[in-house]
Amino acid sequence: FDSSQLKHTETQEKNPLPDKDAIEAEKEKNKFLNGIENFDPTKLKHTETCEKNPLPTKDVIEQEKSA
């Protein structure tokens, strides 16, 4: 094997680094996901659920059937 017979070649980078906009977008996504993962449910206010549309009783159903 004679290394003097080898030709010189130029290498090309096929996997360039991402641009500045892509890096900023990924940082924003990471901040968003971090906010969700580290959410503190103790900061929520307590609420009472009020049922506004109750189901009809058996008496009401029977009255509607007979009408």
Side-chain angles (χ1 to χ4, degrees):
F1 178 72
D2 186 14
S3 62
S4 64
Q5 293 180 353
L6 296 176
K7 297 179 184 176
H8 179 71
T9 59
E10 293 290 328
T11 57
Q12 295 180 355
E13 186 176 341
K14 297 193 180 223
N15 190 8
L17 294 174
D19 58 346
K20 191 174 186 178
D21 295 335
I23 293 172
E24 290 297 322
E26 189 170 345
K27 282 183 183 178
E28 287 296 320
K29 181 182 174 189
N30 286 342
K31 284 181 188 177
F32 177 71
L33 291 176
N34 216 3
I36 293 173
E37 290 172 354
N38 298 329
F39 178 71
D40 185 14
T42 59
K43 293 182 180 179
L44 294 175
K45 297 177 183 176
H46 181 68
T47 59
E48 291 293 328
T49 304
C50 184
E51 188 174 340
K52 293 184 179 181
N53 190 9
L55 295 174
T57 62
K58 288 183 179 180
D59 297 332
V60 173
I61 293 173
E62 289 300 322
Q63 287 176 357
E64 287 180 0
K65 284 184 180 179
S66 64

